[in-house]
Amino acid sequence: MTSTIHTVPIGGPTLAQELKLVTEVPGPRSREILARKNAAVPRGVGINVPVFVVAAGGGVLVDVDGNSLIDLGSGIAVTGVGNAAPSVVAAVAAQAAQFTHTCFTITGYEGYVEVAEALNRLVPGDFEKRTALFNSGAEAVENAVKIARSYTGRQAIIAFDHAYHGRTNLTMALTAKSMPYKSGFGPFAPEVYRAQMSYPYRDGGVSGAEAARRAISQIEKQVGAANTAAILIEPIQGEGGFVVPADGFLPALAAWANDNDVVLILDEVQTGFARTGDMFASEHEGVIGDLVVTAKGIAGGLPLSAVTGRAEIMDAPHVGGLGGTYAGNPIACAAAIAAIASFEQDGLVERAREIGVLLRDRLSGLASKDPRIGDVRGRGAMVAIELVDPVTGDPDAALTSRIAAACHAAGAVVLTAGTYGNVIRFLPPLTISDDLLDTGLDIVAAALAAK
Ligand SMILES: *Cc1c(COP(=O)(O)O)cnc(C)c1O
């Protein structure tokens, strides 16, 4: 395999939309770079599918060996508008040629304000809003907590079982799962309390309203509304295994928060930007967050995140209390403006629904013939299967790893998830073709049949 510069394909939609394996996966060039990676990068920074990418777009990732892999993960729900989406690339190039940085809190620029205006318009809630920009999802979650505490004068934050909110110190405390996210990294931030989630598949048929009563009772007994600054929740849990709470759970929590002057923070980092077939997952049940945290899909792959919410809450922190050197970087803002235009104008919300129908049809078909698939769940282009022992119903993490590995070897980049490590999740770019998605699901079917 050669890898001279002129053989490197151009990204975006000019890439052939095909599964093509010209070596084993990973191929010899990737294995060479992996050896260098292992010598240069700590093992804590793992790589799920150890191929090294040179181009990506539509629904494919092309590696240094010339393999064209099917992307069923979007780099964890980031490249919803497509990888190297042409309008994002053009916006990034134009902005980079003008200026790359000023630090928004030193001298401003219009792009930041434009992204804030767009989010204030798009995030649900018929009230005056403000948006502050940051770099990562975790950083935005931390800032949402700062803002809620500043506004309420209270300290306690309620997070849920199976929650994932990031890897910084406060967000590790907010995240439920120890391995790999927290183990050995304590002590963690105080005043974080955990309530029981609604997890229909493992909940014995507890309704959304009942699950909410259960969680609210825990909060009232163990923390007290008067001490609670915020409830922080993912409308559909991401890393936790695409746990979709039973209908009525989120609205009941929202009503309790509202009645008790508790700030409702919706973490839409993974679910946001058309992913679930609505612009935001909370729209499905008409739940309005006081603060909404976004990141991942917001800027077509550039690092950007945001907290959007009620003006009076957002304006609680003093001047200078919010910011960061790179927060709302001008290139990331230019990318976000282009990405948001694409979400709104290219029919990507509808496309997410179509992808959802295709995913669910195929996966439900597999589940009907394979009792190891205990559950097919999710919404829009965010769908997962939970793999279990058909006799006991116990989570089968080993099977999950084998199937994921088989998919990777056959050229489909799938991601796993779940508190019990037994979930395979599908988050394809919304620019993937039906054909390619079908081929990707053929690979999943074959992996299930073989394992
Ligand atoms: C990924 C994720 C985060 C953290 O985002 P980073 O950009 O990785 O810091 C927070 N919340 C949810 C729901 C996520 O999926």
Side-chain angles (χ1 to χ4, degrees), residues 255-291:
W256 182 84
N258 187 56
D259 291 347
N260 290 279
D261 300 317
V262 168
V263 175
L264 179 66
I265 306 174
L266 298 178
D267 181 343
E268 291 253 19
V269 169
Q270 193 156 155
T271 49
F273 297 101
R275 176 55 52 188
T276 64
D278 287 297
M279 193 60 90
F280 298 99
S282 51
E283 289 172 45
H284 184 72
E285 285 190 278
V287 173
I288 306 293
D290 298 308
L291 301 179

mmCIF file of all heavy atoms in Angstrom, residues 255-291:
data_model
loop_
_atom_site.group_PDB
_atom_site.id
_atom_site.type_symbol
_atom_site.label_atom_id
_atom_site.label_comp_id
_atom_site.label_asym_id
_atom_site.label_seq_id
_atom_site.Cartn_x
_atom_site.Cartn_y
_atom_site.Cartn_z
ATOM 1 N N ALA A 255 -42.115 19.541 35.722
ATOM 2 C CA ALA A 255 -43.158 20.216 36.509
ATOM 3 C C ALA A 255 -42.714 20.384 37.958
ATOM 4 O O ALA A 255 -42.899 21.447 38.564
ATOM 5 C CB ALA A 255 -44.462 19.403 36.442
ATOM 6 N N TRP A 256 -42.094 19.330 38.514
ATOM 7 C CA TRP A 256 -41.615 19.421 39.904
ATOM 8 C C TRP A 256 -40.536 20.502 40.028
ATOM 9 O O TRP A 256 -40.538 21.296 40.972
ATOM 10 C CB TRP A 256 -41.064 18.070 40.367
ATOM 11 C CG TRP A 256 -40.609 18.110 41.793
ATOM 12 C CD1 TRP A 256 -41.367 17.941 42.909
ATOM 13 C CD2 TRP A 256 -39.272 18.383 42.254
ATOM 14 N NE1 TRP A 256 -40.596 18.086 44.041
ATOM 15 C CE2 TRP A 256 -39.300 18.361 43.665
ATOM 16 C CE3 TRP A 256 -38.055 18.649 41.612
ATOM 17 C CZ2 TRP A 256 -38.165 18.587 44.449
ATOM 18 C CZ3 TRP A 256 -36.926 18.880 42.383
ATOM 19 C CH2 TRP A 256 -36.986 18.843 43.787
ATOM 20 N N ALA A 257 -39.614 20.523 39.065
ATOM 21 C CA ALA A 257 -38.548 21.535 39.093
ATOM 22 C C ALA A 257 -39.161 22.931 39.056
ATOM 23 O O ALA A 257 -38.787 23.814 39.842
ATOM 24 C CB ALA A 257 -37.589 21.324 37.920
ATOM 25 N N ASN A 258 -40.125 23.089 38.175
ATOM 26 C CA ASN A 258 -40.771 24.396 38.038
ATOM 27 C C ASN A 258 -41.465 24.810 39.336
ATOM 28 O O ASN A 258 -41.342 25.951 39.798
ATOM 29 C CB ASN A 258 -41.765 24.324 36.877
ATOM 30 C CG ASN A 258 -42.352 25.680 36.552
ATOM 31 O OD1 ASN A 258 -41.610 26.630 36.291
ATOM 32 N ND2 ASN A 258 -43.673 25.777 36.613
ATOM 33 N N ASP A 259 -42.182 23.868 39.960
ATOM 34 C CA ASP A 259 -42.915 24.173 41.200
ATOM 35 C C ASP A 259 -41.986 24.501 42.363
ATOM 36 O O ASP A 259 -42.402 25.133 43.332
ATOM 37 C CB ASP A 259 -43.779 22.964 41.612
ATOM 38 C CG ASP A 259 -44.934 22.746 40.650
ATOM 39 O OD1 ASP A 259 -45.214 23.655 39.839
ATOM 40 O OD2 ASP A 259 -45.543 21.657 40.691
ATOM 41 N N ASN A 260 -40.754 24.010 42.287
ATOM 42 C CA ASN A 260 -39.839 24.162 43.422
ATOM 43 C C ASN A 260 -38.669 25.101 43.130
ATOM 44 O O ASN A 260 -37.675 25.085 43.860
ATOM 45 C CB ASN A 260 -39.326 22.781 43.856
ATOM 46 C CG ASN A 260 -40.422 21.958 44.500
ATOM 47 O OD1 ASN A 260 -40.727 22.124 45.674
ATOM 48 N ND2 ASN A 260 -41.058 21.099 43.709
ATOM 49 N N ASP A 261 -38.795 25.894 42.079
ATOM 50 C CA ASP A 261 -37.733 26.839 41.711
ATOM 51 C C ASP A 261 -36.376 26.156 41.560
ATOM 52 O O ASP A 261 -35.333 26.726 41.899
ATOM 53 C CB ASP A 261 -37.649 27.986 42.725
ATOM 54 C CG ASP A 261 -38.955 28.754 42.804
ATOM 55 O OD1 ASP A 261 -39.547 29.028 41.737
ATOM 56 O OD2 ASP A 261 -39.410 29.054 43.931
ATOM 57 N N VAL A 262 -36.429 24.934 41.082
ATOM 58 C CA VAL A 262 -35.206 24.186 40.769
ATOM 59 C C VAL A 262 -34.958 24.341 39.271
ATOM 60 O O VAL A 262 -35.889 24.221 38.469
ATOM 61 C CB VAL A 262 -35.374 22.696 41.150
ATOM 62 C CG1 VAL A 262 -34.250 21.845 40.584
ATOM 63 C CG2 VAL A 262 -35.470 22.545 42.674
ATOM 64 N N VAL A 263 -33.722 24.624 38.893
ATOM 65 C CA VAL A 263 -33.382 24.818 37.484
ATOM 66 C C VAL A 263 -33.333 23.452 36.787
ATOM 67 O O VAL A 263 -32.664 22.537 37.268
ATOM 68 C CB VAL A 263 -32.024 25.540 37.357
ATOM 69 C CG1 VAL A 263 -31.594 25.645 35.891
ATOM 70 C CG2 VAL A 263 -32.091 26.928 38.003
ATOM 71 N N LEU A 264 -34.050 23.307 35.703
ATOM 72 C CA LEU A 264 -33.993 22.075 34.913
ATOM 73 C C LEU A 264 -32.952 22.257 33.814
ATOM 74 O O LEU A 264 -33.121 23.093 32.914
ATOM 75 C CB LEU A 264 -35.356 21.758 34.297
ATOM 76 C CG LEU A 264 -35.384 20.500 33.419
ATOM 77 C CD1 LEU A 264 -35.139 19.234 34.235
ATOM 78 C CD2 LEU A 264 -36.710 20.397 32.659
ATOM 79 N N ILE A 265 -31.868 21.483 33.913
ATOM 80 C CA ILE A 265 -30.810 21.546 32.893
ATOM 81 C C ILE A 265 -30.927 20.304 32.013
ATOM 82 O O ILE A 265 -30.794 19.178 32.503
ATOM 83 C CB ILE A 265 -29.396 21.564 33.521
ATOM 84 C CG1 ILE A 265 -29.253 22.682 34.552
ATOM 85 C CG2 ILE A 265 -28.338 21.688 32.421
ATOM 86 C CD1 ILE A 265 -27.913 22.649 35.310
ATOM 87 N N LEU A 266 -31.188 20.506 30.742
ATOM 88 C CA LEU A 266 -31.252 19.386 29.798
ATOM 89 C C LEU A 266 -29.904 19.271 29.098
ATOM 90 O O LEU A 266 -29.437 20.233 28.471
ATOM 91 C CB LEU A 266 -32.363 19.618 28.774
ATOM 92 C CG LEU A 266 -33.782 19.723 29.346
ATOM 93 C CD1 LEU A 266 -34.775 20.004 28.220
ATOM 94 C CD2 LEU A 266 -34.174 18.462 30.111
ATOM 95 N N ASP A 267 -29.269 18.110 29.245
ATOM 96 C CA ASP A 267 -28.014 17.859 28.547
ATOM 97 C C ASP A 267 -28.355 17.239 27.189
ATOM 98 O O ASP A 267 -28.589 16.039 27.080
ATOM 99 C CB ASP A 267 -27.131 16.931 29.387
ATOM 100 C CG ASP A 267 -25.782 16.659 28.720
ATOM 101 O OD1 ASP A 267 -25.656 16.916 27.500
ATOM 102 O OD2 ASP A 267 -24.870 16.168 29.404
ATOM 103 N N GLU A 268 -28.392 18.096 26.177
ATOM 104 C CA GLU A 268 -28.698 17.650 24.802
ATOM 105 C C GLU A 268 -27.414 17.530 23.986
ATOM 106 O O GLU A 268 -27.439 17.662 22.754
ATOM 107 C CB GLU A 268 -29.670 18.644 24.135
ATOM 108 C CG GLU A 268 -31.076 18.628 24.728
ATOM 109 C CD GLU A 268 -32.115 17.963 23.811
ATOM 110 O OE1 GLU A 268 -31.725 17.200 22.907
ATOM 111 O OE2 GLU A 268 -33.326 18.220 24.046
ATOM 112 N N VAL A 269 -26.303 17.273 24.663
ATOM 113 C CA VAL A 269 -25.019 17.225 23.961
ATOM 114 C C VAL A 269 -25.021 16.135 22.885
ATOM 115 O O VAL A 269 -24.563 16.357 21.767
ATOM 116 C CB VAL A 269 -23.852 17.042 24.958
ATOM 117 C CG1 VAL A 269 -22.552 16.711 24.235
ATOM 118 C CG2 VAL A 269 -23.680 18.300 25.804
ATOM 119 N N GLN A 270 -25.554 14.956 23.226
ATOM 120 C CA GLN A 270 -25.556 13.863 22.236
ATOM 121 C C GLN A 270 -26.851 13.836 21.408
ATOM 122 O O GLN A 270 -26.859 13.441 20.253
ATOM 123 C CB GLN A 270 -25.349 12.506 22.930
ATOM 124 C CG GLN A 270 -25.034 11.384 21.977
ATOM 125 C CD GLN A 270 -24.277 10.208 22.607
ATOM 126 O OE1 GLN A 270 -24.351 9.095 22.139
ATOM 127 N NE2 GLN A 270 -23.523 10.438 23.652
ATOM 128 N N THR A 271 -27.954 14.270 22.013
ATOM 129 C CA THR A 271 -29.269 14.159 21.373
ATOM 130 C C THR A 271 -29.611 15.356 20.485
ATOM 131 O O THR A 271 -30.597 15.292 19.739
ATOM 132 C CB THR A 271 -30.367 14.039 22.445
ATOM 133 O OG1 THR A 271 -30.174 15.081 23.419
ATOM 134 C CG2 THR A 271 -30.322 12.706 23.150
ATOM 135 N N GLY A 272 -28.840 16.430 20.589
ATOM 136 C CA GLY A 272 -29.215 17.681 19.925
ATOM 137 C C GLY A 272 -28.964 17.688 18.429
ATOM 138 O O GLY A 272 -28.363 16.779 17.866
ATOM 139 N N PHE A 273 -29.439 18.726 17.801
ATOM 140 C CA PHE A 273 -29.184 19.008 16.385
ATOM 141 C C PHE A 273 -29.643 17.889 15.460
ATOM 142 O O PHE A 273 -28.852 17.239 14.781
ATOM 143 C CB PHE A 273 -27.716 19.391 16.164
ATOM 144 C CG PHE A 273 -27.376 20.651 16.893
ATOM 145 C CD1 PHE A 273 -26.694 20.621 18.098
ATOM 146 C CD2 PHE A 273 -27.823 21.872 16.424
ATOM 147 C CE1 PHE A 273 -26.446 21.779 18.804
ATOM 148 C CE2 PHE A 273 -27.584 23.039 17.115
ATOM 149 C CZ PHE A 273 -26.888 22.994 18.308
ATOM 150 N N ALA A 274 -30.957 17.692 15.451
ATOM 151 C CA ALA A 274 -31.647 16.830 14.477
ATOM 152 C C ALA A 274 -31.469 15.340 14.735
ATOM 153 O O ALA A 274 -32.184 14.517 14.154
ATOM 154 C CB ALA A 274 -31.239 17.167 13.037
ATOM 155 N N ARG A 275 -30.548 14.967 15.603
ATOM 156 C CA ARG A 275 -30.189 13.550 15.783
ATOM 157 C C ARG A 275 -31.409 12.647 15.994
ATOM 158 O O ARG A 275 -31.514 11.573 15.420
ATOM 159 C CB ARG A 275 -29.199 13.458 16.968
ATOM 160 C CG ARG A 275 -28.764 12.087 17.403
ATOM 161 C CD ARG A 275 -28.167 11.209 16.327
ATOM 162 N NE ARG A 275 -27.089 11.785 15.567
ATOM 163 C CZ ARG A 275 -26.568 11.169 14.486
ATOM 164 N NH1 ARG A 275 -27.028 9.984 14.088
ATOM 165 N NH2 ARG A 275 -25.603 11.745 13.807
ATOM 166 N N THR A 276 -32.344 13.092 16.844
ATOM 167 C CA THR A 276 -33.458 12.207 17.218
ATOM 168 C C THR A 276 -34.700 12.402 16.348
ATOM 169 O O THR A 276 -35.769 11.880 16.667
ATOM 170 C CB THR A 276 -33.853 12.414 18.690
ATOM 171 O OG1 THR A 276 -34.341 13.758 18.843
ATOM 172 C CG2 THR A 276 -32.675 12.194 19.624
ATOM 173 N N GLY A 277 -34.557 13.171 15.269
ATOM 174 C CA GLY A 277 -35.721 13.419 14.424
ATOM 175 C C GLY A 277 -36.502 14.654 14.850
ATOM 176 O O GLY A 277 -37.559 14.953 14.282
ATOM 177 N N ASP A 278 -36.030 15.328 15.856
ATOM 178 C CA ASP A 278 -36.441 16.696 16.187
ATOM 179 C C ASP A 278 -35.157 17.484 16.324
ATOM 180 O O ASP A 278 -34.080 16.893 16.483
ATOM 181 C CB ASP A 278 -37.201 16.753 17.528
ATOM 182 C CG ASP A 278 -38.607 16.173 17.436
ATOM 183 O OD1 ASP A 278 -39.420 16.741 16.677
ATOM 184 O OD2 ASP A 278 -38.878 15.157 18.101
ATOM 185 N N MET A 279 -35.225 18.815 16.265
ATOM 186 C CA MET A 279 -33.967 19.548 16.428
ATOM 187 C C MET A 279 -33.355 19.217 17.788
ATOM 188 O O MET A 279 -32.151 19.026 17.902
ATOM 189 C CB MET A 279 -34.197 21.051 16.274
ATOM 190 C CG MET A 279 -32.919 21.839 16.125
ATOM 191 S SD MET A 279 -31.913 21.370 14.680
ATOM 192 C CE MET A 279 -32.571 22.471 13.436
ATOM 193 N N PHE A 280 -34.212 19.101 18.828
ATOM 194 C CA PHE A 280 -33.758 18.684 20.157
ATOM 195 C C PHE A 280 -34.687 17.586 20.671
ATOM 196 O O PHE A 280 -35.903 17.638 20.443
ATOM 197 C CB PHE A 280 -33.719 19.881 21.116
ATOM 198 C CG PHE A 280 -32.742 20.928 20.653
ATOM 199 C CD1 PHE A 280 -33.177 22.048 19.967
ATOM 200 C CD2 PHE A 280 -31.383 20.745 20.849
ATOM 201 C CE1 PHE A 280 -32.267 22.992 19.494
ATOM 202 C CE2 PHE A 280 -30.467 21.678 20.374
ATOM 203 C CZ PHE A 280 -30.910 22.802 19.698
ATOM 204 N N ALA A 281 -34.117 16.619 21.396
ATOM 205 C CA ALA A 281 -34.893 15.449 21.829
ATOM 206 C C ALA A 281 -36.021 15.843 22.778
ATOM 207 O O ALA A 281 -37.060 15.185 22.821
ATOM 208 C CB ALA A 281 -33.972 14.434 22.513
ATOM 209 N N SER A 282 -35.829 16.917 23.534
ATOM 210 C CA SER A 282 -36.844 17.330 24.509
ATOM 211 C C SER A 282 -38.129 17.785 23.832
ATOM 212 O O SER A 282 -39.182 17.840 24.465
ATOM 213 C CB SER A 282 -36.283 18.453 25.381
ATOM 214 O OG SER A 282 -35.746 19.478 24.572
ATOM 215 N N GLU A 283 -38.049 18.102 22.546
ATOM 216 C CA GLU A 283 -39.255 18.541 21.827
ATOM 217 C C GLU A 283 -40.284 17.426 21.715
ATOM 218 O O GLU A 283 -41.484 17.693 21.591
ATOM 219 C CB GLU A 283 -38.888 19.032 20.414
ATOM 220 C CG GLU A 283 -38.138 20.351 20.426
ATOM 221 C CD GLU A 283 -37.620 20.733 19.045
ATOM 222 O OE1 GLU A 283 -38.377 20.621 18.059
ATOM 223 O OE2 GLU A 283 -36.449 21.126 18.961
ATOM 224 N N HIS A 284 -39.826 16.186 21.766
ATOM 225 C CA HIS A 284 -40.716 15.036 21.576
ATOM 226 C C HIS A 284 -41.892 15.070 22.547
ATOM 227 O O HIS A 284 -43.033 14.767 22.185
ATOM 228 C CB HIS A 284 -39.912 13.746 21.735
ATOM 229 C CG HIS A 284 -40.695 12.503 21.462
ATOM 230 N ND1 HIS A 284 -41.082 12.137 20.194
ATOM 231 C CD2 HIS A 284 -41.189 11.555 22.291
ATOM 232 C CE1 HIS A 284 -41.769 11.006 20.248
ATOM 233 N NE2 HIS A 284 -41.854 10.643 21.511
ATOM 234 N N GLU A 285 -41.603 15.409 23.810
ATOM 235 C CA GLU A 285 -42.685 15.495 24.801
ATOM 236 C C GLU A 285 -42.958 16.940 25.208
ATOM 237 O O GLU A 285 -43.623 17.181 26.221
ATOM 238 C CB GLU A 285 -42.336 14.673 26.049
ATOM 239 C CG GLU A 285 -42.456 13.180 25.858
ATOM 240 C CD GLU A 285 -42.344 12.434 27.183
ATOM 241 O OE1 GLU A 285 -41.210 12.210 27.635
ATOM 242 O OE2 GLU A 285 -43.383 12.102 27.765
ATOM 243 N N GLY A 286 -42.411 17.884 24.456
ATOM 244 C CA GLY A 286 -42.667 19.289 24.760
ATOM 245 C C GLY A 286 -42.077 19.750 26.080
ATOM 246 O O GLY A 286 -42.601 20.671 26.716
ATOM 247 N N VAL A 287 -40.976 19.117 26.488
ATOM 248 C CA VAL A 287 -40.336 19.518 27.748
ATOM 249 C C VAL A 287 -39.440 20.734 27.489
ATOM 250 O O VAL A 287 -38.656 20.739 26.539
ATOM 251 C CB VAL A 287 -39.499 18.353 28.317
ATOM 252 C CG1 VAL A 287 -38.686 18.799 29.523
ATOM 253 C CG2 VAL A 287 -40.417 17.196 28.686
ATOM 254 N N ILE A 288 -39.577 21.734 28.337
ATOM 255 C CA ILE A 288 -38.797 22.964 28.182
ATOM 256 C C ILE A 288 -37.729 23.009 29.271
ATOM 257 O O ILE A 288 -38.048 23.013 30.458
ATOM 258 C CB ILE A 288 -39.700 24.210 28.320
ATOM 259 C CG1 ILE A 288 -40.884 24.141 27.343
ATOM 260 C CG2 ILE A 288 -38.892 25.490 28.144
ATOM 261 C CD1 ILE A 288 -40.507 24.238 25.884
ATOM 262 N N GLY A 289 -36.477 23.045 28.859
ATOM 263 C CA GLY A 289 -35.400 23.199 29.844
ATOM 264 C C GLY A 289 -35.252 24.657 30.224
ATOM 265 O O GLY A 289 -35.466 25.552 29.404
ATOM 266 N N ASP A 290 -34.871 24.896 31.488
ATOM 267 C CA ASP A 290 -34.496 26.270 31.862
ATOM 268 C C ASP A 290 -33.138 26.594 31.255
ATOM 269 O O ASP A 290 -32.890 27.717 30.830
ATOM 270 C CB ASP A 290 -34.445 26.399 33.383
ATOM 271 C CG ASP A 290 -35.794 26.137 34.019
ATOM 272 O OD1 ASP A 290 -36.775 26.773 33.580
ATOM 273 O OD2 ASP A 290 -35.880 25.286 34.930
ATOM 274 N N LEU A 291 -32.263 25.578 31.262
ATOM 275 C CA LEU A 291 -30.970 25.676 30.593
ATOM 276 C C LEU A 291 -30.814 24.439 29.710
ATOM 277 O O LEU A 291 -31.187 23.339 30.129
ATOM 278 C CB LEU A 291 -29.815 25.716 31.606
ATOM 279 C CG LEU A 291 -29.804 26.847 32.637
ATOM 280 C CD1 LEU A 291 -28.587 26.681 33.571
ATOM 281 C CD2 LEU A 291 -29.752 28.215 31.960
#
